[in-house]
Amino acid sequence: MRVKRYVVDSMPDALQKIRTDLGKDAVILNTKEIRTGGFLGLFGKKKIEVIAAIDGANTNSGGAAQRFAPQPQPQQQKVMSQEQPARIQSHYSDFPDVPDVIAPVSAKKELVTVSTSVETQKSFASQQSYSPVSVNAPNRVILKDEHLMEELKQMKEMMRKLTHASEETNLPEPIQKIEHRLIEQEVDPALVRQIMDEVVADFQLADEPVTDESALQVVRTKLGQVLQSDRSKQISPQTRVVHFVGPTGVGKTTTIAKLAAEQVLKYQRKVGFITSDTYRIAAIEQLKTYGTILNVPLEVVFSPQDLAKAFHNLAECDVIFMDTAGRNFRNEMYVSELNSLLKTQGNSETILVLSLTTKYRDMRAITNNFNKFKLDKVLFTKMDETDSYGAIVNVVHEFSLQLSYVTNGQSVPDDITEMNEWQIIDLLLEEPRA
């Protein structure tokens, strides 16, 4: 029996050295981590100590005969692997230089045959570093945490529903019916609850019974306080430039044509067009067609540097309508470019154009983005394409914007009127149609 001790950095290094020194038939008796160098046992480097051995009959001189000898059957291999530790133990005295390493080897320890294949080396290294418990445990912890979070989420939702139900039971039935109607119209639930609390307080203060008619009248008054404003919805006669901003597809160009027709035909003002919408196919041609019909001049700007020339060419106009490109409102480059286009001299207004067919969640994000440009008014389009009007209340209440116009069709110059708050309130409170 020939036994040899190796101190290496990794198991692949040990396997290579064992194969070179002892041959492919060598067996590994023991492996353990040790530290070498350092001071008083500190700051030492981690190493791996490997004890390998080979039977005297498998040395280089007899290696050829051994390789050509008949291979033992699996049952014989099992018997040999059980007998080898005992044979090695009888030869301990032949190796006085490594008795401290060989002595702790248990007689029951399995002997691992050295393999030169890459798969065996990877398997051995993975067995030294990981165990099934260490690999699977994080997955079990993650699954457990996800299950716990899901249960907490369900409990929270259940508590919210129970709380909301208990609050509803405190409201008189006529007020509950109005609350449900406003929620169905997609009015912000927090605003609805605030209005309902004020209505209940008013009835308690007046000490009057709550009826369907009286509840509708009080809620109507509260909604009027949210939507009404002392400012004019129309374009001011002192306004020199009107900027129209908004996302794609809301109908800015058509709306500009409708308002231009109103200014030309109703107020006899000379109108000019400026468009920076050079991204949408046929956008310039569309506005040019409207300009030809209304006898309104058009200037096209490709960058903020072209604005000075455009304003100079339209110096004789009473009011200038500026159409901006309806691009992605989340694009920061577009935001910066649009901000440069809105820096004009003289009195100006900036009108945000929103479609009533847009979800309020998107409306809020759009308004938040364009609100950086000092929005003055909000104009809603496509009123004829929806039966939900709660977004109007939400935008005015959350962003304190002044209502202006609303469109309800594609006809030019028709299908545009000033926003009537009381008409919107009646639509919000009317009984849903069958």
Side-chain angles (χ1 to χ4, degrees):
M1 173 65 68
R2 182 182 175 192
V3 180
K4 194 164 184 180
R5 174 176 177 266
Y6 298 87
V7 178
V8 293
D9 294 325
S10 64
M11 282 305 302
D13 295 339
L15 295 173
Q16 184 64 30
K17 291 182 179 181
I18 293 171
R19 180 172 176 271
T20 302
D21 296 345
L22 304 180
K24 68 175 185 177
D25 296 324
V27 293
I28 296 175
L29 304 180
N30 187 36
T31 61
K32 69 176 181 179
E33 285 188 1
I34 62 173
R35 287 186 176 272
T36 60
F39 177 72
L40 298 178
L42 301 175
F43 312 109
K45 294 183 179 179
K46 285 187 177 182
K47 298 283 186 178
I48 300 176
E49 180 188 76
V50 182
I51 306 300
I54 189 171
D55 194 3
N58 292 331
T59 58
N60 292 337
S61 59
Q66 179 67 22
R67 285 194 296 272
F68 288 100
Q71 297 298 318
Q73 296 300 319
Q75 186 65 27
Q76 294 174 342
Q77 290 179 349
K78 181 176 181 181
V79 174
M80 289 172 62
S81 64
Q82 294 175 353
E83 293 176 354
Q84 283 177 348
R87 293 167 57 188
I88 294 170
Q89 184 70 26
S90 64
H91 291 278
Y92 281 165
S93 58
D94 296 336
F95 305 94
D97 54 330
V98 287
D100 57 326
V101 177
I102 299 177
V105 178
S106 172
K108 296 182 180 180
K109 189 171 185 69
E110 293 184 6
L111 304 181
V112 182
T113 303
V114 177
S115 173
T116 60
S117 67
V118 176
E119 289 78 11
T120 304
Q121 295 178 10
K122 291 182 178 179
S123 176
F124 191 91
S126 64
Q127 290 175 4
Q128 295 293 323
S129 303
Y130 304 97
S131 66
V133 175
S134 63
V135 172
N136 296 331
N139 293 335
R140 289 200 297 268
V141 171
I142 292 173
L143 292 175
K144 184 176 179 180
D145 289 345
E146 290 179 351
H147 182 66
L148 180 60
M149 292 300 296
E150 184 63 26
E151 288 185 350
L152 290 175
K153 184 178 180 181
Q154 292 176 0
M155 291 177 62
K156 183 177 180 181
E157 181 65 18
M158 182 179 66
M159 292 299 296
R160 187 190 67 79
K161 291 181 179 179
L162 289 174
T163 303
H164 185 67
S166 64
E167 289 177 348
E168 283 186 344
T169 56
N170 296 330
L171 294 175
E173 184 177 350
I175 298 179
Q176 284 188 36
K177 289 166 56 178
I178 298 175
E179 182 182 35
H180 292 157
R181 203 173 305 163
L182 293 177
I183 294 294
E184 289 176 356
Q185 282 287 323
E186 299 181 7
V187 180
D188 183 13
L191 176 60
V192 173
R193 190 63 196 180
Q194 176 185 334
I195 293 175
M196 296 303 107
D197 290 342
E198 292 178 1
V199 170
V200 171
D202 289 349
F203 275 106
Q204 291 177 347
L205 186 63
D207 194 18
E208 295 180 357
V210 181
T211 64
D212 291 342
E213 187 64 30
S214 62
L216 276 173
Q217 188 61 38
V218 176
V219 172
R220 193 172 186 271
T221 302
K222 298 292 182 182
L223 289 172
Q225 293 172 358
V226 174
L227 293 178
Q228 273 193 312
S229 172
D230 296 334
R231 293 179 291 172
S232 173
K233 302 182 183 69
Q234 300 178 0
I235 296 173
S236 172
Q238 288 75 35
T239 297
R240 165 70 174 159
V241 182
V242 183
H243 306 105
F244 293 85
V245 299
T248 59
V250 295
K252 290 191 301 297
T253 304
T254 305
T255 300
I256 289 173
K258 294 176 181 179
L259 291 175
E262 180 190 47
Q263 294 294 313
V264 171
L265 302 176
K266 185 176 181 180
Y267 299 106
Q268 289 77 45
R269 300 181 72 187
K270 189 172 183 180
V271 179
F273 287 155
I274 294 179
T275 180
S276 62
D277 190 0
T278 57
Y279 301 92
R280 185 168 61 89
I281 297 175
I284 297 175
E285 285 73 13
Q286 181 183 6
L287 196 59
K288 186 182 294 184
T289 302
Y290 290 137
T292 301
I293 296 173
L294 297 171
N295 193 24
V296 171
L298 171 67
E299 292 291 327
V300 181
V301 298
F302 295 91
S303 68
Q305 290 74 24
D306 298 334
L307 276 177
K309 180 181 177 181
F311 285 130
H312 176 74
N313 293 338
L314 300 176
E316 296 181 358
C317 295
D318 298 320
V319 60
I320 298 172
F321 288 168
M322 184 170 177
D323 187 15
T324 60
R327 294 163 64 192
N328 184 0
F329 64 92
R330 301 180 189 275
N331 190 318
E332 291 297 331
M333 184 180 298
Y334 169 49
V335 172
S336 177
E337 177 185 338
L338 183 59
N339 194 25
S340 301
L341 290 171
L342 298 182
K343 293 179 180 178
T344 56
Q345 296 179 351
N347 294 330
S348 65
E349 292 182 19
T350 301
I351 298 178
L352 173 64
V353 182
L354 295 175
S355 170
L356 284 174
T357 59
T358 305
K359 295 181 297 185
Y360 181 65
R361 179 177 177 180
D362 293 333
M363 277 193 191
R364 180 191 289 129
I366 293 167
T367 310
N368 266 324
N369 189 281
F370 286 103
N371 208 24
K372 303 172 184 176
F373 312 134
K374 190 188 75 63
L375 297 176
D376 298 297
K377 297 175 182 177
V378 59
L379 186 154
F380 290 97
T381 63
K382 304 183 181 181
M383 184 175 175
D384 57 315
E385 298 180 20
T386 183
D387 57 0
S388 176
Y389 312 102
I392 299 174
V393 180
N394 297 338
V395 169
V396 174
H397 176 259
E398 186 169 352
F399 298 97
S400 300
L401 292 178
Q402 169 64 43
L403 294 173
S404 57
Y405 295 86
V406 60
T407 69
N408 52 8
Q410 298 294 320
S411 298
V412 179
D414 302 321
D415 296 340
I416 187 169
T417 58
E418 290 184 33
M419 177 73 76
N420 186 328
E421 300 94 334
W422 300 111
Q423 179 189 5
I424 299 300
I425 293 172
D426 289 339
L427 291 172
L428 289 170
L429 296 177
E430 72 178 4
E431 292 286 347
R433 297 175 182 177

